Amino acid sequence: MSATSKLAPRAFGSQTMALWFLSLAPANGIQAQVVKLYGQVSNPLYFGLNGAVAVAAGVVVMAMAPWLRRTMHPVH
C-alpha cells in the first residue's frame, strides 16, 4: 500500500488506494470459484494446481523485476 500511495500522482492518491482495495474483490471471487473444486478432484491435483499457479505468478513477477525497478526508481 505504501508503494501505491507513493507512485500515484498527487491528484489520484485516493483513487489508487481504492483500486488497491478493490483488487481484493476479484481475487476473493476467483478463489470462491476455485474452492468449489476441492471435493471434486483429488487433493494432490487441487493443491498441485494451486501451487503451480503461485509459482507461475512468482516467475512472472521475477521476470518483470527489472522493469519494476526502473519504473519505481525514484521511490524508496
Side-chain angles (χ1 to χ4, degrees):
M1 289 190 332
S2 173
T4 300
S5 62
K6 288 178 183 176
L7 290 171
R10 290 190 190 269
F12 298 108
S14 60
Q15 287 91 345
T16 54
M17 288 305 295
L19 285 173
W20 170 263
F21 288 116
L22 189 62
S23 70
L24 299 175
N28 286 331
I30 291 168
Q31 184 57 27
Q33 299 304 314
V34 170
V35 78
K36 291 179 182 178
L37 296 174
Y38 180 69
Q40 298 175 0
V41 297
S42 67
N43 283 347
L45 177 63
Y46 178 79
F47 290 108
L49 285 175
N50 277 333
V53 169
V55 168
V59 168
V60 168
V61 170
M62 286 174 44
M64 292 178 58
W67 177 78
L68 288 170
R69 282 192 198 102
R70 274 195 319 271
T71 306
M72 294 178 56
H73 176 65
V75 177
H76 293 25

